[in-house]
Amino acid sequence: MLHDITESNRANWNTIHDARPGQPVSYFAAGGSTLSADELAAAGSVRGRRVLQLACSCGDEALSWASLGAAVTGVDISEVALEMAREKSAATGIPVDFRRADMLDLPADLTEFDLIYLSWGAICWVPDLTVFATLVTSRLAPGGSILLADHHPVWEVLAVQGPGQLTVTADYFGRSTPRATIENTKLPTGARDNPSAPTFTAFIWPPSDIITALLAAGLTLDTFQESPSTEMYAGLGPAAAHLPATYLIKATRNVSHETLQQVPK
């Protein structure tokens, strides 16, 4: 079932990714970064560290991490997205190893990472949090962390209908049940306002479920923060600042006792 979902989404991403070019080469050549201040603060210095981005799309965040001195691998299921990413990498001279893979079925050599990163519309494509959390933990080096920054599921289930008016369009507690429909403003770029766009299978995961899965996999929670974004509730007015729009989670794989014993004194 998981493979069928991924393959269906992959084919659909390939049909719309031409409308998802991300930032142009000139943006990165001029030193631009698509990483937020909160992401950078949570990650700390990545210079000389190994970073893996899952669901890297057209490569903007992967290139941003690499420009900070990290050795970056970007994984995505869409060949079209990765072609764009590789072209940007070559044109800017910012090296990133882009791989085509399902993020729940990674190549065996992708391991021992200092940071595994997902952002902005990534976790909603994960159909099984237990599988995801176990996999991520196994691919982290001791002391390595997962950093996840994404749209808040409260925003995912609410739609602005007018000044001071919100409608519930999806089940916040849907979890492993695929969303029956995705409201237009929550669709990916390329599918939004496109009546001929393909249908995607996505999921809504409360942050509590994500954190619980990461803890069960053996990670330690470092950071959990929720933030507003008035532009994400366009048309709602000042009340938009009272709602969560994004969240950030950082969790770390502890250095085990056995590992500590191997460190020379």
Side-chain angles (χ1 to χ4, degrees):
M1 175 183 176
L2 301 187
H3 176 76
D4 292 342
I5 290 173
T6 299
E7 283 303 298
S8 175
N9 282 339
R10 180 189 65 81
N12 293 337
W13 279 117
N14 281 340
T15 67
I16 67 169
H17 247 302
D18 284 338
R20 301 170 53 83
Q23 294 293 340
V25 168
S26 58
Y27 176 83
F28 296 101
S33 171
T34 57
L35 300 170
S36 71
D38 287 342
E39 291 172 294
L40 293 171
S45 174
V46 296
R47 183 165 296 280
R49 299 173 71 79
R50 300 186 69 225
V51 174
L52 170 65
Q53 183 182 1
L54 301 178
C56 69
S57 187
C58 59
D60 286 4
E61 285 74 39
L63 291 167
S64 297
W65 289 118
S67 69
L68 293 173
V72 181
T73 300
V75 168
D76 201 272
I77 60 172
S78 169
E79 297 89 345
V80 176
L82 291 173
E83 182 179 357
M84 294 178 178
R86 292 181 180 120
E87 288 175 355
K88 290 183 186 181
S89 177
T92 59
I94 302 173
V96 175
D97 178 17
F98 287 109
R99 305 277 196 99
R100 215 294 296 178
D102 178 353
M103 63 177 163
L104 296 187
D105 187 20
L106 296 174
D109 65 311
L110 296 185
T111 188
E112 295 293 309
F113 286 95
D114 300 300
L115 183 70
I116 296 179
Y117 169 75
L118 297 88
S119 73
W120 316 120
I123 198 69
C124 65
W125 306 109
V126 172
D128 189 312
L129 283 185
T130 299
V131 172
F132 166 77
T134 301
L135 174 68
V136 166
T137 300
S138 72
R139 301 307 177 103
L140 285 172
S145 301
I146 176 173
L147 178 62
L148 193 157
D150 217 315
H151 311 127
H152 201 288
V154 165
W155 174 80
E156 294 281 0
V157 305
L158 295 178
V160 179
Q161 299 297 317
Q165 298 180 8
L166 290 170
T167 299
V168 178
T169 63
D171 182 3
Y172 183 90
F173 300 105
R175 296 186 167 96
S176 58
T177 301
R179 299 176 69 167
T181 58
I182 301 178
E183 194 267 333
N184 179 63
T185 62
K186 309 304 189 296
L187 288 170
T189 301
R192 197 176 310 140
D193 299 318
N194 180 1
S196 63
T199 300
F200 290 89
T201 300
F203 303 83
I204 295 175
W205 295 110
S208 57
D209 286 22
I210 299 170
I211 292 170
T212 298
L214 294 174
L215 295 178
L219 302 184
T220 298
L221 181 65
D222 299 311
T223 302
F224 173 52
Q225 64 186 62
E226 300 167 290
S227 302
S229 172
T230 55
E231 65 184 27
M232 289 176 63
Y233 293 97
L236 189 59
H242 302 163
L243 291 170
T246 66
Y247 69 92
L248 183 148
I249 295 170
K250 182 184 178 185
T252 297
R253 179 182 174 186
N254 293 331
V255 179
S256 68
H257 177 68
E258 292 77 10
T259 301
L260 288 173
Q261 288 181 324
Q262 297 173 11
V263 177
K265 298 182 178 178

